[in-house]
Amino acid sequence: MLRKLLALALAVGALGAAGLALARNEGVTADEIRLGASAVLSGPLGPQTAQYGEGSRLLFDAVNAQGGVHGRMIRYTTLDDGFDTQKAVENTRQLLENDKVFMIFHSTGTAQTAAILPLVKEHRTLLFGPVTGASAFRETFNPYVFHVRAGYAAEATKIVSQLRQQGITRVAVFYPDDGLGKTLLAELKKASDEEKLAFVAEIKVDAKQPDFTAAARATEAAQPQAVILATAGATFTSYVKAVQATAARPAFYGFSVASMDVIQRDLKDKARGIILAQIMPSLRNTTVPVVAEYLALLRAKSPAAQPSASQFEGFVHARLLVEGLRRTGRNLTTESFTKTLEDAGEIAFGRFSVKYSPKSHNGSSYVELAIVDAEGSLRY
């Protein structure tokens, strides 16, 4: 199913350029800009995805409090699809046809992204900052999609290369049998071939009824020095807990989609030593302007609030979107916004930067590895 959706997404991208020439400004009124997204707000990934939205709204609220963008307030609506592809399509159709949003902003999921692309093309709107790093969306140019985060291929390469450089030869992969798991597994296999580091085991669980105890036993039997987890949310932490209950003691590696908030909540002190790829700058590095801005706004809203990596990612996506809206000016359409970003050159927020062109909307390539320290924070 995922393969068919991705193939459809590629076809949509290949045919999309001509339609973009027709400017669209639905969702843009005299006093507001309407944005919307179908997102995973319930189920194992729900708590993490909610954080993305909170980060985006933190920025939008601050912008609105200062008069909006060229006098227009930003209104952002998110609808829960529970990681269901068909529901994501229904939600997106509602946002485009009933709510009349200007663009789909910060939607989530690889299969969900592939499924909604035909609607995006049909309505000649933009999909900005989808939360997926799948290579299929980056290798074939789609004029309707603007990526912000680095792709999963860059993360997989960083992880596997690091393991090879450390002399670790026994590496296993754990993944759920769902769209995200299969996508991340495919990227890891490519990286494995490139780095000539074969995996000793690929450990799969049913996505809807995962047997973590059996997966942990299979891990123990494989005796890996390290396990790369191709998953996120509670699936990530449940597997780690199960393995830690055995005699196996591998190092755990994960992708940026693995939420630190969920890891801290579920694993507490047992999270120490987990290594995660990160596609945003460290929240410890306040010399990065966008980090300092996020922390200042978060503390102004709630002095006791704890910074969140997922929340920060949503904030950066929103910050880049607002920068594009401001540069576009008052005459805001799909066409004018697209041209503004394609002509902007590098847009940098300190060490984090993106660059778009008429031939590439891939955005950032920033990837680093970070380890969970004794305090439960990521140390780069």
Side-chain angles (χ1 to χ4, degrees):
M1 181 63 178
L2 178 60
R3 189 174 300 169
K4 291 180 180 178
L5 285 170
L6 290 174
L8 177 59
L10 297 181
V12 168
L15 296 173
L20 195 58
L22 299 173
R24 176 188 182 278
N25 63 355
E26 276 195 304
V28 178
T29 69
D31 56 8
E32 72 177 9
I33 302 169
R34 293 193 293 271
L35 311 174
S38 180
V40 186
L41 302 178
S42 60
L45 296 178
Q48 176 178 347
T49 307
Q51 289 290 303
Y52 292 137
E54 286 183 19
S56 295
R57 289 187 174 89
L58 180 67
L59 190 279
F60 293 151
D61 288 347
V63 169
N64 288 342
Q66 295 176 354
V69 181
H70 300 295
R72 294 181 174 119
M73 301 295 108
I74 298 175
R75 310 299 183 199
Y76 182 38
T77 301
T78 51
L79 302 177
D80 182 24
D81 59 44
F83 209 52
D84 180 84
T85 302
Q86 184 56 43
K87 185 63 176 175
V89 172
E90 294 170 3
N91 286 348
T92 303
R93 186 176 295 281
Q94 176 181 324
L95 290 164
L96 290 169
E97 297 180 0
N98 298 341
D99 299 344
K100 304 293 186 183
V101 299
F102 173 59
M103 69 169 66
I104 302 299
F105 169 75
H106 214 34
S107 58
T108 56
T110 297
Q112 290 76 11
T113 298
I116 69 173
L117 285 182
L119 279 174
V120 168
K121 176 181 180 292
E122 176 187 342
H123 290 270
R124 301 194 308 276
T125 190
L126 296 177
L127 174 56
F128 189 94
V131 184
T132 174
S135 293
F137 303 125
R138 290 165 169 79
E139 292 171 349
T140 299
F141 174 65
N142 187 326
Y144 291 101
V145 181
F146 280 91
H147 299 284
V148 177
R149 60 178 6 248
Y152 295 144
E155 295 187 47
T157 297
K158 189 78 171 179
I159 293 170
V160 177
S161 175
Q162 175 83 355
L163 289 167
R164 183 186 58 76
Q165 290 173 20
Q166 290 180 327
I168 295 176
T169 58
R170 297 191 61 80
V171 179
V173 176
F174 165 78
Y175 70 102
D177 189 20
D178 60 13
L180 177 62
K182 291 175 182 178
T183 297
L184 296 181
L185 175 65
E187 301 293 6
L188 286 169
K189 285 184 173 181
K190 291 178 187 175
S192 170
D193 291 341
E194 291 170 0
E195 295 291 335
K196 295 180 172 54
L197 180 61
F199 299 136
V200 297
E202 294 175 10
I203 301 160
K204 178 175 69 174
V205 293
D206 184 286
K208 294 183 179 179
Q209 294 182 314
D211 186 340
F212 294 111
T213 300
R217 286 198 298 266
T219 303
E220 185 178 24
Q223 297 184 325
Q225 297 166 281
V227 180
I228 307 172
L229 283 75
T231 188
T235 304
F236 186 106
T237 53
S238 296
Y239 169 75
V240 171
K241 281 182 182 178
V243 173
Q244 288 177 338
T246 71
R249 289 296 177 267
F252 296 109
Y253 284 73
F255 286 77
S256 60
V257 289
S259 168
M260 265 306 298
D261 306 306
V262 175
I263 289 172
Q264 288 173 327
R265 183 196 70 200
D266 292 355
L267 298 179
K268 299 180 175 58
D269 60 320
K270 292 185 178 181
R272 183 178 182 181
I274 292 175
I275 298 168
L276 301 175
Q278 295 294 289
I279 41 79
M280 294 288 157
S282 170
L283 289 174
R284 293 171 179 264
N285 190 353
T286 55
T287 63
V288 177
V290 73
V291 173
E293 182 181 11
Y294 162 70
L295 294 175
L297 288 175
L298 182 66
R299 287 164 183 158
K301 180 179 179 180
S302 176
Q306 293 298 312
S308 154
S310 298
Q311 195 178 88
F312 178 55
E313 182 177 340
F315 183 90
V316 171
H317 278 67
R319 183 70 180 80
L320 180 61
L321 174 65
V322 167
E323 183 68 20
L325 293 173
R326 283 175 173 162
R327 294 190 186 196
T328 301
R330 185 74 182 171
N331 182 25
L332 177 61
T333 66
T334 295
E335 184 181 30
S336 64
F337 179 83
T338 298
K339 181 170 173 45
T340 295
L341 285 191
E342 290 179 346
D343 293 346
E346 184 179 71
I347 301 175
F349 304 137
R351 295 179 63 190
F352 180 86
S353 65
V354 300
K355 186 176 182 179
Y356 302 110
S357 75
K359 295 182 178 180
S360 174
H361 289 177
N362 285 349
S364 172
S365 59
Y366 178 93
V367 179
E368 289 194 49
L369 294 183
I371 188 169
V372 181
D373 63 17
E375 299 174 356
S377 300
L378 284 172
R379 187 172 297 277
Y380 285 56

